[in-house]
Amino acid sequence: MKTPHHHGNLREALIVAGMELLQEGGTSGLTLRKCAARAGVSHAAPAHHFKSLDGLLSAIAARGYEQFAKTMMAERDKSPDGARDQLLAICQGYLDFAEKNEALFDLIFNSVEITFDDPDLDNASTLAYQILAQACAPFVKKDQDPRYVETKVWSLVHGFACLSRQARGGGGGHPACGIAFADVFDSLSF
Amino acid sequence: MKTPHHHGNLREALIVAGMELLQEGGTSGLTLRKCAARAGVSHAAPAHHFKSLDGLLSAIAARGYEQFAKTMMAERDKSPDGARDQLLAICQGYLDFAEKNEALFDLIFNSVEITFDDPDLDNASTLAYQILAQACAPFVKKDQDPRYVETKVWSLVHGFACLSRQARGGGGGHPACGIAFADVFDSLSF
DNA sequence: ACCACAAACTTGACACTGTAAAGTTTGTGG
DNA sequence: CCACAAACTTTACAGTGTCAAGTTTGTGGT
């Protein structure tokens, strides 16, 4: 049955279609025309809701940040109450998300196409970051810039996520293969 | 004056053209047809030297790894002899390269298109990694897997490079803005 | 109930892209 | 000198993003 001229909720349908296509076929599997086709509209329909493909990608990235935040919070909520345990759990959530959502993770962190001018995206990224920042707060020394601890933890977990991803792609020979993040994290000092 | 039918050194010319286009216009500025045009040949000429665009990208990534390795060695060779000084210098070279060659850095580390089946690429990436691995050797404890130290350092510097890049793109509000890697590095323990 | 108008599409077109197939030019070895 | 393969060129196709013009329909005013 053909979709009537007015879809009714096309913006949302395009975002959902985009996330499905990313999950199924990676970055190159997501195109405007495929999103439009999956949403049941013509190839030019998205132009009314997104200025360009970059606009749609930014909206998808915002959604991705929300899922990312949820994954970290879910891990944190399952962990023991100790500050160090909670921080490690959040990092594990970070790495789980990166492993299970490689293309979305790429879009969020490595994509020059998305722009943080988008308020949804800016809000979502800020919220995600706050989870990590709050978990770092107990480790901040008196009169110390809290961003120092935050940057250290964030660099470590983000770097580990990136290298693990490269290790997964390149087979067993990659140096990061077999190294557990918990071991790297345990010797972290502040 | 028109290029004769036989270029003579087209493979190299395409790689050079590709690196120039990357530097000038970022990832989206590099296309097979533009490389061919810059090299003075038709759009189908590259097919004789590279199986596909991915093949050309892999060759460019190999070249990029070589430059990457040189940047780290240059910083190392300028630094004091202490093991910690040398490791920090190598990390600074890592970050310098990432900052000055954003698109090439992306191609090397974040590109799903390149494949390490390419022997040149595999060799170049291994050599680049060896620089970091050798600098980590002094910090490896007796009976400890050296990859543990290597992964820790590599995660920290790579993560910092990625976050700095995002900070540069998104303005002063990014949490990693203004944090010096040397400060993060100084408290690193093994 | 009717009508004007704007929102939300569709259709058609263009430029750019990667890749493939067929044809042409030229370097090289016998 | 010639055959043949390397190294191209030309042509074509499918897919892509974007744009402009046209069409459909929802909504608000009268």
Side-chain angles (χ1 to χ4, degrees), chain A residues 123-189:
Chain A
N123 289 342
S125 72
T126 299
L127 184 72
Y129 181 73
Q130 284 303 329
I131 297 167
L132 193 71
Q134 281 162 8
C136 288
F139 303 93
V140 177
K141 295 187 178 69
K142 193 170 188 293
D143 296 331
Q144 189 185 32
D145 186 340
R147 291 181 308 132
Y148 163 78
V149 173
E150 293 163 7
T151 301
K152 188 171 183 180
V153 173
W154 193 8
S155 295
L156 194 73
V157 66
H158 188 77
F160 194 90
C162 293
L163 300 177
S164 295
R165 186 279 179 56
Q166 211 176 38
R168 286 194 297 277
H174 194 281
C177 263
I179 302 293
F181 181 77
D183 293 339
V184 170
F185 178 85
D186 275 346
S187 63
L188 195 63
S189 65

Side-chain angles (χ1 to χ4, degrees), chain B residues 62-75:
Chain B
R63 221 45 79 82
Y65 264 116
E66 289 167 15
Q67 289 193 356
F68 178 48
K70 278 176 182 147
T71 304
M72 291 192 286
M73 287 190 286
E75 286 300 316

Side-chain angles (χ1 to χ4, degrees), chain A residues 97-119:
Chain A
F97 181 87
E99 181 171 352
K100 295 191 182 79
N101 306 276
E102 288 192 342
L104 197 46
F105 188 82
D106 257 0
L107 179 66
I108 291 174
F109 286 109
N110 299 328
S111 181
V112 297
E113 288 82 14
I114 70 174
T115 166
F116 288 85
D117 292 339
D118 184 319

Side-chain angles (χ1 to χ4, degrees), chain B residues 83-84 86-88 90-91 129-141 144-154 157 185 188 190:
Chain B
R84 212 171 170 96
Q86 298 243 298
L87 184 56
L88 174 58
I90 285 168
C91 290
Y129 181 72
Q130 285 303 327
I131 297 167
L132 192 70
Q134 281 162 5
C136 289
F139 302 95
V140 177
K141 295 186 176 72
Q144 190 185 31
D145 187 339
R147 290 183 307 134
Y148 164 76
V149 173
E150 292 162 9
T151 300
K152 188 171 183 180
V153 172
W154 193 9
V157 67
F185 179 85
L188 195 63
F190 303 99

Side-chain angles (χ1 to χ4, degrees), chain B residues 73-87:
Chain B
M73 287 190 286
E75 286 300 316
R76 180 196 63 191
D77 294 347
K78 287 193 293 186
S79 80
D81 281 346
R84 212 171 170 96
D85 288 325
Q86 298 243 298
L87 184 56

